[in-house]
Amino acid sequence: MDFDGLIEYELDISRTDASPVRVLQDAAGSAKCGVGSTVWDAGIVLAKYVDWQTSEGKLDLSGKTVLELGAGTGIVGITLACLQPKCTVVLSDKEELVPLLERNISLNKAHANTSAKCVDWSNPEHRENVTAAPPDLILVSDGIWMKDLHAHLAETLAQLAGSNTTVLLAYETRAFDEEAQFMALWSTHFRFHDIKPQEQHPVMQSEDIFLFSGSLKN
């Protein structure tokens, strides 16, 4: 992947001894890696949600494993890795985006607890051995914008989650009927609830972006 021409995005985080999270993105599409190589608003809102929860002492992932699906630039997972260096973070996306994820891990000096790997939701083999054990937390931001991937994402979540896994899902609403169809698919194996605006970062939120927390049904 040619990183020339990519632009840098910075996100301030609340940890006082940490620098802003920096990620390269291909907003112009010059690297031809698709929409995943851009920082999208739902990712920013989810990143600031985990930042807020961490700063409020409501999210402690020490010794835990976090998996980001469809990580794109890695903005959410890298933010969490920088906030909570005692957790292990795995960023995943299609093969063509793995070099960008690895570059952004390097930019943030997050190698100690962060790695990147290829996970294509449409390939059942990619869902095997993603993490040594079911992750404690799965992050998904703007992963339901393409209707054709709904079933693959729902199947991937069901296969990778364990009984103690929490899924945080964020998306910007674009097509309500299609989003409702994904939620119906997700509800086959998961129970979930929306995260209210008062629970989110007080500034970095939007009426067009929805956050949900889910877990496997018993």
Side-chain angles (χ1 to χ4, degrees):
M1 183 177 189
D2 185 2
F3 298 106
D4 291 340
L6 301 193
I7 60 174
E8 190 174 290
Y9 178 88
E10 282 194 1
L11 182 69
D12 289 326
I13 58 177
S14 59
R15 187 177 162 195
T16 56
D17 62 342
S19 301
V21 172
R22 302 158 55 213
V23 295
L24 292 176
Q25 63 168 335
D26 181 29
S30 59
K32 298 181 180 179
C33 290
V35 297
S37 56
T38 300
V39 175
W40 294 97
D41 289 346
I44 297 170
V45 169
L46 184 55
K48 291 304 293 183
Y49 171 71
V50 298
D51 183 9
W52 178 249
Q53 291 290 296
T54 299
S55 67
E56 292 289 294
K58 297 177 180 178
L59 183 64
D60 182 3
L61 294 165
S62 298
K64 307 291 187 182
T65 300
V66 179
L67 170 65
E68 184 175 6
L69 292 174
T73 63
I75 185 74
V76 184
I78 292 172
T79 295
L80 194 49
C82 293
L83 287 165
Q84 303 206 32
K86 293 184 179 179
C87 72
T88 299
V89 177
V90 178
L91 310 175
S92 70
D93 211 310
K94 296 184 295 183
E95 184 175 1
E96 57 264 32
L97 283 166
V98 171
L100 179 61
L101 290 170
E102 292 174 337
R103 182 63 173 264
N104 286 336
I105 291 170
S106 296
L107 272 178
N108 293 277
K109 298 180 173 61
H111 288 107
N113 67 330
T114 312
S115 61
K117 63 168 51 182
C118 174
V119 177
D120 183 339
W121 306 340
S122 64
N123 187 336
E125 293 182 0
H126 283 201
R127 304 175 201 153
E128 299 174 2
N129 304 314
V130 177
T131 54
D136 299 282
L137 178 64
I138 297 177
L139 304 166
V140 186
S141 63
D142 252 345
I144 67 171
W145 68 277
M146 186 179 291
K147 182 180 177 181
D148 291 347
L149 293 178
H150 285 182
H152 296 310
L153 176 57
E155 291 164 3
T156 299
L157 289 170
Q159 184 170 340
L160 295 180
S163 58
N164 296 316
T165 301
T166 297
V167 177
L168 291 178
L169 172 77
Y171 67 88
E172 182 174 357
T173 185
R174 297 178 177 89
F176 177 82
D177 290 345
E178 293 181 5
E179 292 151 8
Q181 290 172 17
F182 171 78
M183 292 307 209
L185 281 174
W186 194 25
S187 69
T188 303
H189 297 290
F190 286 81
R191 66 173 86 81
F192 52 85
H193 66 274
D194 62 314
I195 298 172
K196 306 296 184 185
Q198 58 267 30
E199 300 174 82
Q200 299 179 34
H201 189 277
V203 176
M204 301 296 286
Q205 57 175 273
S206 170
E207 62 183 11
D208 296 324
I209 294 174
F210 298 93
L211 272 62
F212 288 85
S213 177
S215 58
L216 281 173
K217 293 178 178 177
N218 295 330

